[in-house]
Amino acid sequence: FVSYLSSFQNYKNVLSRYGVNISDKNILEIGSGPNPGTALSFLLHGAAHVYANDIGSVRQIFPLEYALLIRFLAEASKQSQPKPLEDCLLTVTGQTENTGINPALYSALPLIPAEDVELPDNSLDLIVSMSVLEHVKNVKGVLSNCFRILKPGGHCLHFIDLKDHVNPTKPLAFLSIPREQYEPDGTENRLRASDFISEFSAAGFDITATLLQ
């Protein structure tokens, strides 16, 4: 649960730093995970529509308490005034303890890789992901598709974890493993920051900022 909230806050902090407003934006989250916490947070802060893409199942129905807690934390942040929760949710017939996000505002896309997302050309204002692109095998295909579906002047914001996800005590040792040994079971594509910058540029993006931590 905490990861969804921290992801949204990280997105919001960077977007605010560069003057990108969430309000009335159509947004795609790549690698959304099973719960719609990030999507609901975007909607509470004024997004027009959020699309969730993941290769695993994304929940359409969830406990009402989950939504109430996200709303409470949005109010507690005091960085902006969230919209009413009831504007974002729908009533689940025959249930009082569960709810879902209004489908006029939220779409869980088919379970497909991001390079295969079939949204219309020039239809989105913002595409985000959190610790996803380092796992993607077809980075070129993903970024080309992102460029296709973004409106002119739209933005991509991607947090990329370049460390080994399996052995945190030796975060860069995996880079020395020969390809034929690493690729059968490796979880990352092992691209470096310079590789990603080159791939974004090749896809047609202008790099506004690269933040290394």
Side-chain angles (χ1 to χ4, degrees):
F1 178 80
V2 173
S3 65
Y4 293 99
L5 296 175
S6 63
S7 292
F8 171 74
Q9 200 57 54
N10 284 330
Y11 293 141
K12 190 170 185 292
N13 289 344
V14 174
L15 292 169
S16 297
R17 184 187 307 179
Y18 292 97
V20 180
N21 197 331
I22 296 170
S23 296
D24 301 319
K25 297 296 191 293
N26 292 312
I27 301 171
L28 168 64
E29 183 186 13
I30 297 174
S32 62
N35 294 308
T38 304
L40 183 56
S41 296
F42 272 119
L43 292 170
L44 286 170
H45 286 80
H49 196 104
V50 179
Y51 299 87
N53 161 249
D54 203 279
I55 58 173
S57 178
V58 180
R59 292 190 179 96
Q60 302 277 2
I61 303 299
F62 47 88
L64 178 59
E65 287 81 1
Y66 179 84
L68 292 172
L69 182 55
I70 290 175
R71 165 67 183 184
F72 171 78
L73 293 172
E75 290 178 332
S77 72
K78 297 182 180 179
Q79 294 187 5
S80 61
Q81 182 59 44
K83 70 170 64 173
L85 183 63
E86 55 270 22
D87 289 356
C88 301
L89 301 182
L90 55 81
T91 300
V92 180
T93 303
Q95 299 188 40
T96 57
E97 70 278 9
N98 291 323
T99 188
I101 303 179
N102 185 339
L105 305 175
Y106 172 73
S107 302
L109 300 176
L111 310 185
I112 55 175
E115 59 265 34
D116 295 329
V117 168
E118 295 183 345
L119 292 172
D121 294 0
N122 307 320
S123 60
L124 298 179
D125 302 288
L126 174 65
I127 300 174
V128 299
S129 73
M130 181 65 64
S131 296
V132 172
L133 291 186
E134 69 269 21
H135 299 287
V136 169
K137 301 302 183 184
N138 185 8
V139 173
K140 187 182 300 294
V142 170
L143 297 184
S144 294
N145 202 26
C146 287
F147 190 82
R148 177 187 66 80
I149 58 183
L150 269 180
K151 297 176 182 178
H155 296 84
C156 271
L157 172 58
H158 300 277
F159 288 79
I160 306 171
D161 187 349
L162 300 176
K163 303 186 299 297
D164 187 353
H165 292 19
V166 176
N167 186 2
T169 62
K170 297 181 178 180
L172 299 180
F174 75 133
L175 297 175
S176 64
I177 302 173
R179 176 184 291 183
E180 62 272 14
Q181 295 179 26
Y182 181 80
E183 287 191 348
D185 300 310
T187 60
E188 285 86 63
N189 54 35
R190 301 198 296 181
L191 296 179
R192 300 293 87 196
S194 58
D195 299 321
F196 280 108
I197 291 170
S198 295
E199 292 289 357
F200 274 97
S201 296
F205 289 99
D206 295 322
I207 310 297
T208 301
T210 303
L211 307 177
L212 300 178
Q213 296 181 344

